[in-house]
């Protein structure tokens, strides 16, 4: 089928896709803006503060990986049951997700508050960065306790076509977080400058506001909120379906999350300048990929709704369209990365060596962007819509853990390769697996109705 025919006008498809994509992308953008605010504000205070908080934030990154796995199952099953308008099943899915995400949140809260030194030592051997990171984690860890719960509420809003409400809550709390960042990091209005502790406290306050607001919103008319009686009763059929989807997603997410975190660890062991440059690139990467993340989420729900209704042919057609959109998004992200390079050099105060590293990393990231966008939209969006979640784990085992991680580790600890060579090794996996992902797509194993 020709690309022009695939992308022909379809008001229902594009209307639904973009009504989901843009609020979710905006929400993702605002969340990334918090990390950007932390990095750039702390970068004005001290390079080491920025680097330490960037490394410490990798703990939350791993937590978010697990929480996102739970939210992905909510999207997979929720989208299909919403397509059937089965609200009772949706309520059960909501309760099951709360149990899992709360359990994960308690684990990360305990680690950050009581054992921060051990966690920071995983990412750097620089004593000064470990000390600063521990100060941040002891406060920010409390916010990790709240995140898992609030994300369940926001996920169910997106699935039930309340993405604008979820985006409103997230965007407003992000704006609050940025304002509190400026106030608590630099001080003012009688408040002393708290530096990294201020950044952590701003995060904690914002997450508390987000949770309270999400719970209150859930009691509005036609919104889904968890029934207390359902929270303590079991639905063995849905629990079985939930776990069946969750296990491969958790496996893939942990493969990806731990691998991605190890990349940060490798760069962190190359010195303070390398860590600082990587901190800036990480922030910009997360900002640029917001549209890609929004499209993946929107694709999963849009395709999942059709599969849940039993219209498998339309779900397949929508998938074909989204492949083309994925490539367009990838090339656009490459261009944006190139354009952002001079801007990032002008905004952040770095040493000459760190500036050199940053320029090279941005060039590598521009190429990586194509693979990241295509793979995210296909694997996390289209494949997940039909419950095809095992492929992600297999591809990560081969491309990330079989190629990228060993090469980057060897370059860091055995051969002492140049920082940019090590960084390029960490980007091999996404670009290298594009042909494999497209080949798997054409098997159409993801075209399934998962509802009972």
């Amino acid at each position: 089928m020709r690309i022009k025919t695939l992308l022909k006008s379809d008001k229902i498809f594009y209307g639904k896709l973009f009504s989901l994509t843009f609020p979710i992308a905006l929400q993702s953008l605002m969340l990334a803006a918090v990390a950007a605010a932390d990095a750039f504000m702390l970068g004005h205070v001290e390079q080491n503060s920025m680097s330490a908080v960037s490394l410490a934030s990798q703990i939350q990154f791993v937590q978010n990986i697990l929480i996102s796995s739970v939210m992905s199952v909510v999207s997979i099953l929720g989208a299909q049951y919403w397509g059937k308008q089965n609200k009772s099943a949706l309520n059960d899915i909501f309760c099951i997700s709360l149990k899992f995400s709360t359990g994960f949140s308690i684990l990360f809260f305990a680690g950050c508050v009581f054992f921060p030194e051990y966690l920071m030592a995983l990412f750097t051997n620089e004593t000064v960065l470990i000390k600063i990171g521990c100060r941040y984690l002891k406060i920010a860890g409390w916010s990790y306790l709240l995140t898992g719960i609030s994300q369940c509420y926001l996920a169910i809003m997106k699935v039930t076509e309340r993405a604008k409400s979820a985006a409103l809550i997230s965007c407003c709390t992000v704006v609050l977080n940025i304002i509190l960042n400026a106030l608590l990091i630099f001080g003012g209005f009688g408040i002393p400058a708290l530096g990294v502790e201020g950044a952590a406290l701003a995060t904690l306050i914002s997450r508390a506001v987000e949770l309270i607001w999400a719970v209150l919103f859930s009691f509005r008319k036609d919104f889904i909120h968890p029934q207390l009686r359902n929270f303590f009763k079991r639905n063995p059929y849905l629990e079985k379906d939930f776990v069946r989807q969750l296990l491969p997603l958790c496996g893939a997410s942990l493969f990806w999350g731990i691998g991605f975190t190890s990349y940060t660890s490798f760069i962190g062991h190359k010195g303070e300048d390398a860590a600082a440059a990587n901190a800036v690139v990480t922030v910009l990467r997360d900002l640029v990929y917001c549209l890609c993340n929004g499209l993946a989420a929107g694709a999963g729900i849009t395709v999942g709704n059709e599969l849940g209704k039993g219209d498998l042919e339309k779900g397949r057609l929508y998938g074909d369209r989204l492949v083309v959109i994925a490539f367009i998004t990838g090339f656009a992200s490459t261009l944006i990365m190139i354009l952002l390079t001079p801007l990032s050099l002008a905004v952040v105060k770095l040493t000459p060596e760190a500036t050199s590293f940053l320029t090279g990393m941005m060039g590598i990231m521009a190429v990586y962007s194509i693979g990241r966008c295509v793979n995210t939209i296909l694997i996390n969006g289209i494949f997940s819509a039909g419950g095809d979640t095992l492929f992600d784990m297999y591809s990560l085992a081969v491309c990330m853990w079989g190629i990228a991680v060993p090469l980057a580790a060897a370059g860091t600890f055995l051969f002492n390769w140049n920082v940019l060579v090590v960084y390029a090794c960490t980007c091999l996996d996404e670009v290298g697996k594009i042909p494999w992902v497209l080949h798997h797509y054409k098997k159409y194993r993801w075209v399934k109705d998962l509802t009972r």
Side-chain angles (χ1 to χ4, degrees), residues 72 76 80 245 249 295-296 299-301 303-304 307 315 319-320 322-323 374-393 395 433-448 450:
S72 294
I76 293 167
Q80 294 213 5
Q245 297 298 327
L249 280 169
L295 275 168
I301 295 171
V303 174
L307 299 178
D320 290 343
L322 285 159
V323 172
V374 171
N375 295 332
T376 298
I377 293 171
L378 266 70
I379 295 174
N380 298 343
I382 301 171
F383 294 174
S384 292
D388 185 6
T389 53
L390 272 173
F391 173 79
D392 194 15
M393 190 163 63
S395 67
K433 71 183 181 186
I434 291 179
W436 189 10
V437 171
L438 291 174
H439 176 70
H440 184 76
Y441 174 84
K442 285 297 183 181
K443 294 179 180 179
Y444 294 107
R445 291 178 180 171
W446 52 271
V447 184
K448 292 179 185 175
L450 302 174

Side-chain angles (χ1 to χ4, degrees), residues 125-141:
N125 53 1
E126 300 285 343
T127 304
V128 63
L129 297 183
I130 291 175
K131 288 182 178 178
I132 296 171
C134 288
R135 285 159 43 201
Y136 177 85
L137 286 175
K138 286 181 179 178
I139 299 173

Side-chain angles (χ1 to χ4, degrees), residues 20 36 54 77 137 176 196 222 247 273 283 306 329 353 360 386 400:
L20 289 164
S54 176
L77 295 178
L137 286 175
L176 173 64
V196 293
D222 296 330
L247 288 178
D273 288 326
V283 169
E306 299 307 320
T329 307
E353 188 171 15
M400 176 177 272

